[in-house]
Amino acid sequence: MSRLSNLGHRLHRGEVAYDFVGNRRIWYGVSILITLAAVVGLAVNGLKLGIEFSGGAVFTTPKTSISVSDAQNRIEGHTGGSEPVVQKLGKGSLRIQISNVSTAEAKRIQTSIAEDLGMPKADVDEQIIGPSWGKEISQKAIQGLVIFMVLVTIYLAIAFEWRKAIAALIALIHDLTITVGVYAIVGFEVTPGTVIGLLTVLGYSLYDTVVVFDGLKETTKDITKQNRYTYSELANRSLNQTLVRSINTTVVALLPVAGLLFVGGGLLGAGMLNDIALSLFVGLAAGAYSSIFIATPLVADLKERDPQMQALRKRVLAKRAADARRAEEPQDAAQEPDEDDEDGEEHAAAAVAGQRRPAPRSRSKNRPSGKRR
């Protein structure tokens, strides 16, 4: 049996436990710092929107031996004042993307690119995307994201309770903010592939959170009928029981995504794979972190404010104090003899000493002695 599997069995049986809920202030602080870094990166660098959102032109060349940096240098200054984005595609062709250009400017830029790269103009494919269409796509993406979060919140409130719905929503916003911040810091373009990756990430993060919440629901069933554990302690126990499952699921999901990001995007130069894989990689890692360190501790915080849970905590603490006092009493009794027991022993000895020995039966006077006269 592997060490991870053995650890999972020990966590499930309660032999080993990590106090995630008890140290929740530490995790909150770490999440706040990461989120602030993401927000600062987003405010300083901003999002680099692709032409699908901002409008522009895309030029695709046939297979060529010209490198990305060489092509960037050759077409520099001939793109109408806009900075071109050059990518090497898997089949050896180049994809040149220029934002915020009109149709007339695109025709002129197409001619300049063909001359700079030394190829016929007819071989350079041109695709124009208007800014109005890009704006409409942006609005649809935002609407889809808002509708997704509203439906998720309603579903969780019905399936579990409103506290878990709020915690899951905060975890989703946490994952989304970190992913968008990383995009801004790294400088990757936001494309429809990015939106697809974000929606996939939110779905996966929600799945992991629901798995943890389902275990928490089973663990805390009829919690008010016992006096041994508080809600936070049972929440931490449930989290430990599902910890290895969450880790295994996350690692298995990250491995193919890492292959897409580092092999497909890095070695093969596939632009769309980069957009999807980066959002998936960052979002999956952030989702696994938020499910363990954010969602469940938040639920415990919200539940502990409930009057029934506060009353349960008082009963649990009172019972533990009474058990501690009873555990100390036998030790004191063993160290110091009880005066009542000494008195009892003395009375027993006196009673034994005061007992009369039964008198021997005397012969009757008229009874013959048995001697012959």
Side-chain angles (χ1 to χ4, degrees), residues 224-291:
T224 56
K225 296 181 180 179
Q226 52 86 39
N227 296 323
R228 297 182 60 188
Y229 304 104
T230 64
Y231 188 92
S232 295
E233 292 170 346
L234 287 179
N236 191 75
R237 181 178 180 180
S238 174
L239 190 57
N240 278 273
Q241 290 176 347
T242 58
L243 178 62
V244 175
R245 183 192 308 176
S246 299
I247 293 175
N248 289 335
T249 306
T250 303
V251 171
V252 170
L254 282 176
L255 288 177
V257 173
L260 285 175
L261 180 61
F262 299 110
V263 178
L267 299 180
L268 301 180
M272 184 62 71
L273 287 180
N274 275 334
D275 301 334
I276 298 177
L278 180 63
S279 60
L280 285 176
F281 189 84
V282 176
L284 289 177
Y289 174 84
S290 64
S291 299

Side-chain angles (χ1 to χ4, degrees), residues 110-136:
Q110 181 185 15
T111 303
S112 301
I113 290 175
E115 294 176 354
D116 294 337
L117 300 180
M119 57 185 62
K121 179 182 177 180
D123 293 343
V124 180
D125 182 54
E126 174 195 9
Q127 182 182 3
I128 304 297
I129 299 176
S132 59
W133 186 82
K135 184 179 180 180
E136 183 180 357

Side-chain angles (χ1 to χ4, degrees), residues 63-214:
K63 184 177 181 180
T64 179
S65 59
I66 300 175
S67 64
V68 172
S69 58
D70 190 13
Q72 190 90 27
N73 295 330
R74 290 187 185 187
I75 66 177
E76 188 176 1
H78 301 158
T79 56
S82 300
E83 182 180 356
V85 178
V86 183
Q87 294 175 331
K88 191 79 169 180
L89 301 181
K91 58 184 179 181
S93 59
L94 294 175
R95 183 177 185 267
I96 303 171
Q97 178 179 303
I98 303 174
S99 302
N100 300 321
V101 295
S102 62
T103 304
E105 290 177 334
K107 295 294 183 182
R108 183 184 58 79
I109 293 173
Q110 181 185 15
T111 303
S112 301
I113 290 175
E115 294 176 354
D116 294 337
L117 300 180
M119 57 185 62
K121 179 182 177 180
D123 293 343
V124 180
D125 182 54
E126 174 195 9
Q127 182 182 3
I128 304 297
I129 299 176
S132 59
W133 186 82
K135 184 179 180 180
E136 183 180 357
I137 290 297
S138 301
Q139 293 177 350
K140 294 296 183 182
I142 295 175
Q143 289 178 2
L145 187 61
V146 172
I147 292 174
F148 172 82
M149 288 194 169
V150 170
L151 293 178
V152 162
T153 305
I154 295 175
Y155 169 76
L156 290 178
I158 296 174
F160 296 101
E161 59 172 317
W162 64 268
R163 297 177 183 86
K164 293 181 181 178
I166 292 177
L169 181 62
I170 293 175
L172 289 177
I173 296 174
H174 168 271
D175 302 339
L176 182 63
T177 303
I178 291 178
T179 305
V180 173
V182 170
Y183 253 82
I185 294 173
V186 175
F188 274 39
E189 285 188 338
V190 178
T191 64
T194 305
V195 178
I196 294 172
L198 285 176
L199 292 176
T200 306
V201 161
L202 295 180
Y204 176 85
S205 176
L206 180 64
Y207 163 77
D208 203 18
T209 303
V210 167
V211 169
V212 176
F213 283 176
D214 189 64

